Amino acid sequence: MSAPPLTRGLLGTGEPGLTGHLTAHGPLPAVADLAAAAGDHTGRGGAGFPTARKLRAVTDAARATGRAAVVVGNGGEGEPAAAKDAVLLARSPHLVLDGLHLAGRAVGADTLVLAAAHAALPGLDRALAERGDRARVRLVGLPDRFLAGEESALVSVVDGGPPLPRTKVPPVRERGVGGRPTLVLNVETLARLALLARGDDAGGHTLVTRHTAGPHGRVTDVAEVPVGSRLADVLPLAGARAVLVGGYHGSWLPTPVAADLSLDRDSLACAGASLGAGVLAALPADRCGLRETASVVAHLAAQSAGQCGPCLNGLPRIAAALELLARPAPAPHGLLDDVHRWSGLVVGRGACSHPDGSVRFVASALRVFAPELAAHAAGRCSATTAAPFLPVPGGAR
Ligand SMILES: Cc1cc2nc3c(=O)[nH]c(=O)nc-3n(C[C@H](O)[C@H](O)[C@H](O)COP(=O)(O)O)c2cc1C
Ligand code: SF4
């Protein structure tokens, strides 16, 4: 009898066990040059950085310092609108663990860490036990905070510290966990490496978390889609007031613009967007985009520990101003100009890119919802449903 065909794709059959994994994907092959196998694959943790370059940089840093590297799989997914990593870890933990081993071998690491939300740890521990890997991979639980997944904050948690980013210099790839060269890769990136190593064109697909309106409220799901798909084929856009691409460090787009886009780096960049954390949301016409934005920005501002000026002074002011602009009432004179000015002042000034990502999201809202700004100034709002659409922990307003 011939072997069953291998299952392509990251989400597989939904059978997370080792037997199902091996049946679907076959054993993990030896890979002589993982960076070459990764080709032009880009990371799925948000910034879209080329994975091969990271592999080479950490290998070089380990050689230069004479210290064995550490690899950390980043599965915390602090972005409240994203669920792809949680779904991946639940459905295909062995692909992620395969990728962790491959990356570890490629950079000569002697320590492998998989960091994820506390809720994911029992399933990951079961997967480690199945493959006899408990002694080789350390599991670390991450707090449910937006910043915990930023790579230097992640390193701090792994080292027993707070979930806070630190200065960019020296970079984590040179001095990360325990002061050693550290490779941080998103868990989807790791799983894609595990497929690329098996000769699958895994880089041609990406996981997305979709939010659409259903008869009983927001419907959220995770799908694996070809890079280059038409956005309108991936996300139902009928009746959408606007489309959020990339998540809370991403951008709002007018629906007709989004409908014409394809999900690839260049096409999205032309529209001022990026896939970021893989979040796609079609905002229903009955919601107010400014109110949604104010709610998200209040959360983003509250998530920083205010270690740097932009987060201490800039984001809270911008959040407070948006709260006023989101009301259907005239805002204080010059407030909109203030938001633009404060936004310009925070860019590039933080130890991490949280302020930059946050004001990119704000700027896109002020562009796309300009008609709503004018309506609010005249005391009107066309939204008919007050309940927020986008998920925000604790319902920050
Ligand atoms: C505020 C902030 C939050 C982040 N949160 C996450 C996260 O939850 N998960 C993640 O994989 N990357 C997150 N990142 C990106 C990481 O710093 C890092 O670039 C990423 O894990 C690298 O993986 P990749 O090369 O596979 O994309 C975050 C970055 C910032 C600035
Ligand atoms: S820029 Fe903001 S979020 Fe980043 S480290 Fe500084 S205070 Fe924290």
Side-chain angles (χ1 to χ4, degrees):
M1 205 175 78
S2 61
L6 299 185
T7 305
R8 298 305 185 194
L10 244 52
L11 301 179
T13 57
E15 159 51 59
L18 186 58
T19 309
H21 166 72
L22 291 173
T23 308
H25 300 291
L28 184 62
V31 181
D33 186 345
L34 187 64
D40 58 3
H41 177 266
T42 51
R44 300 298 201 262
F49 198 80
T51 304
R53 268 169 58 192
K54 284 177 101 163
L55 287 164
R56 292 191 179 111
V58 174
T59 307
D60 291 348
R63 277 202 198 111
T65 58
R67 303 191 72 185
V70 178
V71 178
V72 184
N74 191 351
E77 204 170 44
E79 158 77 64
K84 68 169 182 86
D85 292 342
V87 169
L88 172 67
L89 288 170
R91 290 181 64 142
S92 303
H94 288 290
L95 270 183
V96 176
L97 291 168
D98 281 355
L100 192 63
H101 278 286
L102 281 170
R105 276 178 226 148
V107 301
D110 68 356
T111 306
L112 303 179
V113 180
L114 183 51
H118 287 278
L121 298 187
L124 294 175
D125 187 53
R126 269 194 304 280
L128 286 176
E130 270 190 300
R131 49 200 285 153
D133 243 4
R134 268 189 173 142
R136 282 152 70 203
V137 177
R138 188 178 146 209
L139 290 181
V140 172
L142 289 175
D144 186 14
R145 290 195 56 165
F146 195 91
L147 293 174
E150 192 278 337
E151 64 176 7
S152 64
L154 185 67
V155 163
S156 170
V157 175
V158 173
D159 276 340
L164 297 175
R166 57 153 214 224
T167 54
K168 288 186 188 104
V169 183
V172 161
R173 66 175 181 277
E174 287 171 16
R175 281 177 66 89
V177 173
R180 291 155 55 190
T182 299
L183 175 67
V184 176
L185 291 178
N186 171 260
V187 289
E188 182 187 344
T189 308
L190 290 172
R192 294 211 173 277
L193 286 177
L195 291 185
L196 285 163
R198 290 172 164 99
D200 187 328
D201 176 26
H205 286 71
T206 198
L207 293 179
V208 289
T209 309
R210 303 182 290 200
H211 301 279
T212 50
H216 307 295
R218 187 185 68 235
V219 177
T220 299
D221 71 356
V222 171
E224 185 165 22
V225 301
V227 171
S229 305
R230 275 185 71 233
L231 200 153
D233 292 338
V234 169
L235 187 76
L237 295 179
R241 183 185 285 267
V243 180
L244 176 63
V245 177
Y248 297 168
H249 278 177
S251 305
W252 288 107
L253 296 175
T255 304
V257 171
D260 272 349
L261 283 181
S262 61
L263 284 180
D264 62 72
R265 215 178 156 72
D266 293 345
S267 168
L268 291 173
C270 282
S274 77
L275 201 51
V279 171
L280 300 174
L283 182 69
D286 63 348
R287 312 299 164 107
C288 173
L290 292 172
R291 177 119 295 282
E292 298 288 336
T293 303
S295 162
V296 170
V297 175
H299 175 67
L300 295 176
Q303 286 295 294
S304 118
Q307 303 182 107
C308 315
C311 289
L312 188 62
N313 303 311
L315 292 188
R317 282 190 195 183
I318 293 169
L322 284 172
E323 180 57 42
L324 292 175
L325 292 167
R327 294 180 189 169
H333 182 70
L335 191 63
L336 188 55
D337 292 339
D338 286 342
V339 173
H340 285 297
R341 192 164 47 81
W342 295 330
S343 296
L345 288 173
V346 307
V347 172
R349 300 245 168 89
C352 78
S353 60
H354 181 55
D356 302 43
S358 303
V359 298
R360 185 165 52 236
F361 175 70
V362 170
S364 71
L366 298 180
R367 267 193 315 272
V368 171
F369 302 121
E372 280 85 347
L373 279 171
H376 284 195
R380 296 189 308 272
C381 180
S382 60
T384 50
T385 303
F389 179 72
L390 295 174
V392 173
R397 305 294 301 162

